[in-house]
Structure formats: structure tokens, C-alpha cells
Amino acid sequence: MKKPPIYLIIVLAMAFSACNENTSNLLPTPFKVIPQPGNVELLKGQGLEFGGLSGIELKGFEKRPQMDKILSQLPENNPSDAGLSLILDSTLTTIQSPEGYILTITKGNAEIKATGEPGIFYGCQTLAQLLEDAQDYDVAIPSCIITDYPAIAYRSVHFDVKHHLDHMNYYYESIDRLARYKINAVIFEVEDKLRYVRQPLVAAPQAISIDEIAALTRYAAERHIEISPLVQGLGHATFILKHPEYEYLREIPNRRWVSCSVEPGTYELYQDLFLDAFEATPGSRYVHIGGDEIGDIGLCDRCRSKGEEIGELGLYLYWLNTICDMANASGRIPIFWDDMPLKMAGVYESTWNTDYDPEQSEKDWEAGEPKLDRLIEGFPKNCVYMRWNYELGTLPGNIKALDWYRKNNLPSMVSTAAQTNAILFPKDERTGTMSDGGLGAIRSFLGLAADKEIEGMFCTAWDDKSPHFETYWRGLIASAEYSWSPEIRSLEEYDEAYLQREYGLAEEGYYTFYSKLTEAASFWGRAFNRTETRFSIKNALFVLPGLAHWIPEAEKEKQQEKTDFTDRLIELPDLDHPGKWTESYEERLTEARSIIDSYEITSDLIDRYERVSLRNRYHWKVFRALNDFQVTAPKLLLALEECDTADDTERQKGYSKVQNELAEFSRAWGNLKQVYAETRFISYPEDYVPDRYFHFASQREDLSWMIQVEELFHHMIGDWMP
């Protein structure tokens, strides 16, 4: 059992002394529940020790409800012997939400009241977290009354499997982890990873069967989590249009991104995909239909004439209404990304660009809102408009969009992100209360949504660059925190609660540690490139170093593919001009030394975190593998620097260090693949049809897409070495 350090014992003594005299809306140290309960009234008298509950008394239940593993071990006893009472009471008026609960702890007993089983379940999750802290710190839970309910009713997160699949048991474990934090929905983006039976060609060879996802859906439903599918529509359709058999559905013959919006075959195909996806998610209310980032619309002969009549927005609405009617006919409510209508009306940039002039935003909406108003009758009412913003949700244009939906009675939800555009560690670039992504963006947008009484939120976890899912959890759990209890905790307080809940760690300053990891990841991404990071959008498809030879031959000719990208990488030291290379890359080498200094700190911390964590040690194993891998880039650069000298003896030492660093890269890369493979399938079967587009994780059928730059740069070094 973990014992609290001396400083914490002193704090605990002060906190519990205060408990005997005062009431508070916060639980005392060391108790940290996620999400933070809405109202806590501390009472005098005996609380509850870990292990003090003798059994469970059930009132109003037809069968025993699902509970956390700590509580599920308790037997059902006679009322006089019960330590925990679970009471379903439909007449309870103090809690309006069926997910709300009242948890009372006093005299060694606990009681949870709720109007619905979700409330009982969430009350049990809170009690289980308190018992976990009581066990970890060997202290009693104080006598208290907790009255709690969510600010946002629909709280969903993202399983995106477009570029990889995890082992099935990891999805089950993830459901348990999400339920612990009162997340009640998952949007499962399946693309070609569902084994469709009506359109089997779309399914990848390694796809998950309908029965397997249906079983996961039922398991989640028992834990009050609703799994709904996301089947990309109109755009993002390469998983379908890459097959020659579906070429006739393309908007443009040599582009696989967009389906034709008026081709009947488009809707016949999606009808089949939907029916299979609905069978895989029985009992769920929603289907996410995508609909974002279309690009090409109204260009093919089939829809050009119709487009001249109704315009791009009209063509988009034709697709949207047809798909929505199709989903409604099967009893599903469609959700779609709302960027295209806003873009076509000229107001989209005002919703996301943090540098956008507020006056220009106002002008855009003055011109754009009438365009939206003129087409309001064409907007479907039987769907949900998902307003996504991954940076700063309080931008004036973003607020105007939400207000326009409300004014026109169009159901809307908000979407934030645990991961957007990173490969190793998701970014968290907070500056004060603002953010360019990460926890600050999550807190800001969900607080706004709660203020506007918006019914739902979706925390995305994009797989475009396919980080390990373990790196997403800090953001996913933050979305659980701030959708249930917006803005009660600061970001620093959330990090402390996150470490305690997930790992049993009592730590401060986690953001500083995490920032060092992301700084090293950023340097790794651009270490060997002349001007652009390897993962810059400007270096996307057909420009990314090392990508060319992985594009299908038929596509190379169409795209006039360039095949040699070594000119985009930094050159190696010129041995005829010693010192020139070091001078040219002085700033980069200085940064490399700083990254290595930080690595000494982060590496020691990760080792300690893994050693003392009471739970989820695999998380730190992933972090260590990533940290060891990303530091190979600055180490190799500094080894090359040692070669950039006129002294033959020193140069030979430099060559030896370069060889050592290349060997260290191979070791770190091998370890990373081994660690990933504990939860993830790291390669596709040989008969998988490649799905090539600008997402970097789609460039190869194994993890080696991550190291295409290293492959080129190391090959250059091999030719350069004596």
C-alpha cells in the first residue's frame, strides 16, 4: 500500500481538522474525483474506511446493476448488514438528470440515490474513486453528501481506426476506462475496418466483424456508453474509391477523395454500408456521416448542370438531405461536420482562425448569414450539426455559428480534440487560458457549450498520424472532466487529479514535464529537414521525403511524381570545408543539445513514474519508448558535428559516434515497435489494398511510414561515411 509523504500527512491533518468545523464544495486532500463533483457538503462525524463496506442493499432494481470492480465484489446482504445502499427513486426531485446522483457517506456507510440507473452507475464510479484514494493513502473518506449531475448530456469520444487497429481487448479496457470518468458515448470511425457483408470489397482483410463490434457495443451499453458508427461520406472516401470497381462513383476520375453527390450508385453503396454499421452497433441512436473537407463538388458531368442551377451549397445540401433521410429511415439520427455550409457561405474562417480580425469576422457574418438564411428551408432538421473547433472555441465567429443554429432550431453539438496533428505526443500548447490545441482548448470550448446549454460534445482522437492511443488519454479524460463540471478545476489542478486517478501519483508540474516531451517530438519531426517539418501539410502527399516510391505506379504518372527528395533534407558535413556545416546549422545544433539535456530529466521522471505508479504502468512504458526514440535525432546530429573537423583523430571519433547513434536508432526503433505491438497490430496483411492520400499514416502498411526520413538520411550517411 502506498503511504503518503510527510508533507502530505501534514496537509491531510490540516484538511481533516478543517472538516470537523466547516463545510466545503470540494473534497479535502488527498481525494480527487474525476470529473469533479458539482456539490460537496462535508459533514461532521465518522466517514468510511477502505474495506468498511460489508455488502449492498438494492431498492427499486429488477437486477443487480453494473458497478466498478471494487464494489462489484460486495455481496447482497440484509438491509441491517448492508454498508452500501443503492436506491432508485423516480420521485426524487433534487436531481433533474437521470445521470445525476446523491451520494451520502456517514457512520461507516454509503448511500447512492438516483432517478435512473445511469445515476446509480455514476454514483458508484465516484464512490469507487474515493475508496481507491482511501486505499492508496490509508485515510478514511470524510463524512459528506455529494450532489452531482452533468453539465452536458451527451459526452462522446472518438475511436478512429482508419490507419491502425488495436487488439480487441484494448477496446474493452478502454470502455471500462471511459466509464470510470462518466463518458457516455463513443463515435467509432470504422472506414474499411468493419467487415461489411453487403459491400465486402470495401472491408480490409483484417477488418473487425460485425458480430465483434456488436458484442463490444453491448458491453459498452451495460456501462452506459453508447457506441455509434462514423462512416465517412462524400469526402474522405478513399477507403472506397481506391478500388477500381468503385471508380465510377468518383467526382473526378483520377481523384479518390470525393464521391459524386448526384450519382445514384453513391447512395446505393452507402445504404449498404449503413445497414452493416447499424447491425454492428445495435440499439444506438446516432450515425456520424462525416461530410467535411469536400474540396471537389459540382465538377463532373453528372452534377455540373444541377450545380449551375442550385450551386455548390445546394449540391451539398442535396447529398446531406438524401443521406439524412436514409439514416432516419433506419431509426438513426445523423451527425455531420458543419464546415462545408459555413465555408460556402464565406463565414468558416471566422470560426477557427485565432488571428482573424474581429471586425472582419463581423463583416463576414453580415454578408454570409443572409446566404445561410436564404437556404434555411433546404437545411435538414433531422440531424445534428457538429460545430468543431480544436483551438479556441470562444472565437466570435464560432459563437455566431452556434447562435445561428439555435436561432433556426437546428440541433447542434460541439467537437474538441484530444489529438489533432501530432505523431508522437499530442500537443498541448496552452498560453495562459488560451490554447492552440490541447487541454486549454478542451476546457474553453466545453465551458462555452455548457453556458449555451448545448446538449452534446465530441472529443476527437484523430488517427491521421496515428500516435499510440495511450498518449490520447490525458485529453480524453479532460473532455470527461470539463463536459461534466466545466471550469471548476484549473488545468494544473486537472493534471494533478489525472495523475492521481490514472496512476496513483501525487505530483505537481506535469505540464512542464509534458512540454519537454512535445518539444523533443517537434524537434524530431524537423531535425533532418532543411526548412519544413517532415509532417508539415506543405510536405504532404507527393512532396513528403521518401514517399514517392510508396505511391502505386499507376498514380505516379498521373501526379507527375518526383522520386528523389534528398534535396529536402539537410546536407552532410563537407569534409573539404571543415566547420562550415557546423556554422550553417549552429542554431539547430544548439537546440539539439538542449533537447538532450531535457531528455536526461524526462527519462528519469518516466522511470520514476513507472516505478511508483499503482496503476497503468504500460502507459509509462509507451512514453519511455517514444522518448528514447525521439532523442536519437538530436544525438545523431551532434555526432555528425564531431565529424565536421580538420583533425583526423577527432573525425574518426566522430565517425565512430555516428555508427553508435545509428545502432542506437535501430535499438530504439525496434523497442518502440515491440511496445506498440503489446496493444496494436503494427502491420497490415499482404493483401491489403493501399489507401494512399495525404494522411501520413496511410503511406505504408506498417509503422515504418514514421521513419521514411530516417531511411533516406541514414542512406545518405552510408554513402558519405568512409
Short mmCIF file of all heavy atoms in Angstrom, two decimals, residues 674-696:
data_model
loop_
_atom_site.label_atom_id
_atom_site.label_comp_id
_atom_site.label_asym_id
_atom_site.label_seq_id
_atom_site.Cartn_x
_atom_site.Cartn_y
_atom_site.Cartn_z
N GLN A 674 8.06 -2.99 -30.60
CA GLN A 674 7.71 -4.07 -29.67
C GLN A 674 6.70 -3.59 -28.62
O GLN A 674 5.73 -4.29 -28.30
CB GLN A 674 8.98 -4.58 -28.99
CG GLN A 674 8.76 -5.78 -28.08
CD GLN A 674 10.07 -6.30 -27.50
OE1 GLN A 674 11.14 -5.74 -27.73
NE2 GLN A 674 9.99 -7.37 -26.75
N VAL A 675 6.89 -2.37 -28.12
CA VAL A 675 5.98 -1.81 -27.12
C VAL A 675 4.61 -1.54 -27.75
O VAL A 675 3.57 -1.87 -27.17
CB VAL A 675 6.57 -0.54 -26.50
CG1 VAL A 675 5.53 0.18 -25.64
CG2 VAL A 675 7.80 -0.88 -25.66
N TYR A 676 4.59 -0.94 -28.93
CA TYR A 676 3.33 -0.71 -29.62
C TYR A 676 2.57 -2.01 -29.83
O TYR A 676 1.34 -2.07 -29.70
CB TYR A 676 3.58 -0.05 -30.99
CG TYR A 676 3.60 1.46 -31.00
CD1 TYR A 676 4.28 2.18 -30.03
CD2 TYR A 676 2.96 2.17 -32.00
CE1 TYR A 676 4.31 3.57 -30.05
CE2 TYR A 676 2.98 3.56 -32.04
CZ TYR A 676 3.66 4.25 -31.07
OH TYR A 676 3.68 5.62 -31.09
N ALA A 677 3.30 -3.05 -30.18
CA ALA A 677 2.67 -4.33 -30.54
C ALA A 677 1.98 -4.99 -29.35
O ALA A 677 1.19 -5.93 -29.54
CB ALA A 677 3.70 -5.28 -31.13
N GLU A 678 2.22 -4.53 -28.14
CA GLU A 678 1.53 -5.11 -26.98
C GLU A 678 0.04 -4.80 -27.02
O GLU A 678 -0.76 -5.56 -26.46
CB GLU A 678 2.15 -4.59 -25.68
CG GLU A 678 3.57 -5.10 -25.45
CD GLU A 678 4.12 -4.69 -24.10
OE1 GLU A 678 3.32 -4.64 -23.13
OE2 GLU A 678 5.33 -4.40 -24.01
N THR A 679 -0.35 -3.70 -27.67
CA THR A 679 -1.78 -3.36 -27.76
C THR A 679 -2.25 -3.13 -29.19
O THR A 679 -3.45 -3.06 -29.43
CB THR A 679 -2.09 -2.08 -26.96
OG1 THR A 679 -1.33 -0.99 -27.49
CG2 THR A 679 -1.78 -2.26 -25.49
N ARG A 680 -1.34 -3.03 -30.14
CA ARG A 680 -1.69 -2.62 -31.50
C ARG A 680 -1.16 -3.63 -32.51
O ARG A 680 -0.07 -4.18 -32.35
CB ARG A 680 -1.07 -1.24 -31.79
CG ARG A 680 -1.16 -0.80 -33.23
CD ARG A 680 -0.44 0.51 -33.50
NE ARG A 680 -1.18 1.65 -32.98
CZ ARG A 680 -1.01 2.90 -33.40
NH1 ARG A 680 -0.11 3.18 -34.33
NH2 ARG A 680 -1.72 3.88 -32.89
N PHE A 681 -1.94 -3.84 -33.58
CA PHE A 681 -1.43 -4.56 -34.74
C PHE A 681 -0.59 -3.57 -35.55
O PHE A 681 -1.11 -2.56 -36.03
CB PHE A 681 -2.59 -5.10 -35.59
CG PHE A 681 -3.43 -6.12 -34.88
CD1 PHE A 681 -4.67 -5.78 -34.36
CD2 PHE A 681 -2.97 -7.42 -34.71
CE1 PHE A 681 -5.45 -6.71 -33.71
CE2 PHE A 681 -3.75 -8.36 -34.04
CZ PHE A 681 -4.98 -8.01 -33.54
N ILE A 682 0.69 -3.84 -35.69
CA ILE A 682 1.59 -2.84 -36.27
C ILE A 682 1.85 -3.06 -37.75
O ILE A 682 2.64 -2.33 -38.35
CB ILE A 682 2.93 -2.78 -35.50
CG1 ILE A 682 3.68 -4.11 -35.59
CG2 ILE A 682 2.70 -2.38 -34.05
CD1 ILE A 682 5.09 -4.03 -35.01
N SER A 683 1.21 -4.03 -38.36
CA SER A 683 1.34 -4.20 -39.80
C SER A 683 0.05 -4.75 -40.38
O SER A 683 -0.71 -5.43 -39.68
CB SER A 683 2.51 -5.11 -40.15
OG SER A 683 2.32 -6.40 -39.64
N TYR A 684 -0.20 -4.43 -41.63
CA TYR A 684 -1.38 -4.91 -42.34
C TYR A 684 -1.05 -6.21 -43.07
O TYR A 684 0.12 -6.48 -43.38
CB TYR A 684 -1.83 -3.89 -43.37
CG TYR A 684 -2.54 -2.68 -42.83
CD1 TYR A 684 -2.69 -2.46 -41.46
CD2 TYR A 684 -3.08 -1.73 -43.69
CE1 TYR A 684 -3.34 -1.35 -40.98
CE2 TYR A 684 -3.73 -0.61 -43.22
CZ TYR A 684 -3.86 -0.42 -41.86
OH TYR A 684 -4.51 0.68 -41.37
N PRO A 685 -2.05 -7.01 -43.39
CA PRO A 685 -1.79 -8.21 -44.19
C PRO A 685 -1.35 -7.85 -45.61
O PRO A 685 -1.63 -6.74 -46.10
CB PRO A 685 -3.14 -8.94 -44.18
CG PRO A 685 -4.14 -7.89 -43.86
CD PRO A 685 -3.46 -6.89 -42.99
N GLU A 686 -0.69 -8.78 -46.27
CA GLU A 686 -0.12 -8.50 -47.59
C GLU A 686 -1.18 -8.19 -48.63
O GLU A 686 -0.90 -7.47 -49.60
CB GLU A 686 0.73 -9.69 -48.05
CG GLU A 686 2.01 -9.88 -47.24
CD GLU A 686 2.86 -11.01 -47.76
OE1 GLU A 686 2.45 -11.63 -48.78
OE2 GLU A 686 3.93 -11.26 -47.19
N ASP A 687 -2.38 -8.69 -48.47
CA ASP A 687 -3.41 -8.48 -49.48
C ASP A 687 -4.23 -7.21 -49.24
O ASP A 687 -5.26 -7.00 -49.89
CB ASP A 687 -4.35 -9.68 -49.59
CG ASP A 687 -4.96 -10.08 -48.25
OD1 ASP A 687 -4.50 -9.58 -47.22
OD2 ASP A 687 -5.91 -10.89 -48.26
N TYR A 688 -3.79 -6.34 -48.33
CA TYR A 688 -4.48 -5.07 -48.12
C TYR A 688 -4.26 -4.16 -49.33
O TYR A 688 -3.13 -4.01 -49.82
CB TYR A 688 -3.96 -4.39 -46.86
CG TYR A 688 -4.61 -3.05 -46.57
CD1 TYR A 688 -5.89 -2.99 -46.03
CD2 TYR A 688 -3.95 -1.86 -46.86
CE1 TYR A 688 -6.49 -1.76 -45.78
CE2 TYR A 688 -4.54 -0.64 -46.61
CZ TYR A 688 -5.81 -0.59 -46.07
OH TYR A 688 -6.41 0.62 -45.83
N VAL A 689 -5.33 -3.53 -49.82
CA VAL A 689 -5.23 -2.59 -50.93
C VAL A 689 -4.79 -1.24 -50.38
O VAL A 689 -5.50 -0.66 -49.55
CB VAL A 689 -6.57 -2.46 -51.68
CG1 VAL A 689 -6.46 -1.42 -52.80
CG2 VAL A 689 -7.01 -3.81 -52.23
N PRO A 690 -3.64 -0.72 -50.79
CA PRO A 690 -3.12 0.53 -50.22
C PRO A 690 -4.12 1.68 -50.35
O PRO A 690 -4.82 1.81 -51.36
CB PRO A 690 -1.85 0.80 -51.05
CG PRO A 690 -1.44 -0.53 -51.54
CD PRO A 690 -2.72 -1.28 -51.79
N ASP A 691 -4.13 2.51 -49.33
CA ASP A 691 -5.09 3.62 -49.25
C ASP A 691 -4.29 4.92 -49.15
O ASP A 691 -4.17 5.51 -48.09
CB ASP A 691 -5.97 3.42 -48.02
CG ASP A 691 -7.15 4.39 -47.98
OD1 ASP A 691 -7.33 5.13 -48.94
OD2 ASP A 691 -7.88 4.38 -46.98
N ARG A 692 -3.71 5.37 -50.26
CA ARG A 692 -2.75 6.47 -50.23
C ARG A 692 -3.42 7.83 -50.38
O ARG A 692 -4.10 8.09 -51.36
CB ARG A 692 -1.74 6.29 -51.37
CG ARG A 692 -0.99 4.97 -51.32
CD ARG A 692 0.11 5.04 -50.27
NE ARG A 692 0.90 3.82 -50.34
CZ ARG A 692 0.79 2.82 -49.48
NH1 ARG A 692 -0.06 2.92 -48.48
NH2 ARG A 692 1.52 1.74 -49.60
N TYR A 693 -3.22 8.67 -49.39
CA TYR A 693 -3.59 10.08 -49.52
C TYR A 693 -2.77 10.87 -48.53
O TYR A 693 -1.76 10.36 -48.03
CB TYR A 693 -5.09 10.30 -49.39
CG TYR A 693 -5.75 9.84 -48.11
CD1 TYR A 693 -6.20 10.75 -47.17
CD2 TYR A 693 -5.96 8.49 -47.86
CE1 TYR A 693 -6.84 10.34 -46.02
CE2 TYR A 693 -6.60 8.07 -46.71
CZ TYR A 693 -7.03 9.00 -45.78
OH TYR A 693 -7.65 8.58 -44.64
N PHE A 694 -3.14 12.11 -48.22
CA PHE A 694 -2.20 12.99 -47.53
C PHE A 694 -2.04 12.69 -46.04
O PHE A 694 -1.21 13.30 -45.39
CB PHE A 694 -2.58 14.46 -47.73
CG PHE A 694 -3.89 14.85 -47.12
CD1 PHE A 694 -3.99 15.17 -45.78
CD2 PHE A 694 -5.04 14.87 -47.91
CE1 PHE A 694 -5.21 15.53 -45.23
CE2 PHE A 694 -6.25 15.24 -47.35
CZ PHE A 694 -6.35 15.56 -46.02
N HIS A 695 -2.82 11.78 -45.48
CA HIS A 695 -2.55 11.38 -44.10
C HIS A 695 -1.26 10.56 -44.07
O HIS A 695 -1.14 9.56 -44.77
CB HIS A 695 -3.70 10.54 -43.54
CG HIS A 695 -4.92 11.35 -43.25
ND1 HIS A 695 -6.09 10.78 -42.83
CD2 HIS A 695 -5.17 12.69 -43.30
CE1 HIS A 695 -7.01 11.72 -42.65
NE2 HIS A 695 -6.46 12.88 -42.93
N PHE A 696 -0.34 10.95 -43.23
CA PHE A 696 0.98 10.32 -43.25
C PHE A 696 0.93 8.86 -42.84
O PHE A 696 1.73 8.06 -43.30
CB PHE A 696 1.92 11.12 -42.36
CG PHE A 696 2.05 12.54 -42.80
CD1 PHE A 696 1.41 13.56 -42.13
CD2 PHE A 696 2.77 12.85 -43.94
CE1 PHE A 696 1.50 14.87 -42.56
CE2 PHE A 696 2.86 14.16 -44.37
CZ PHE A 696 2.22 15.18 -43.68
#
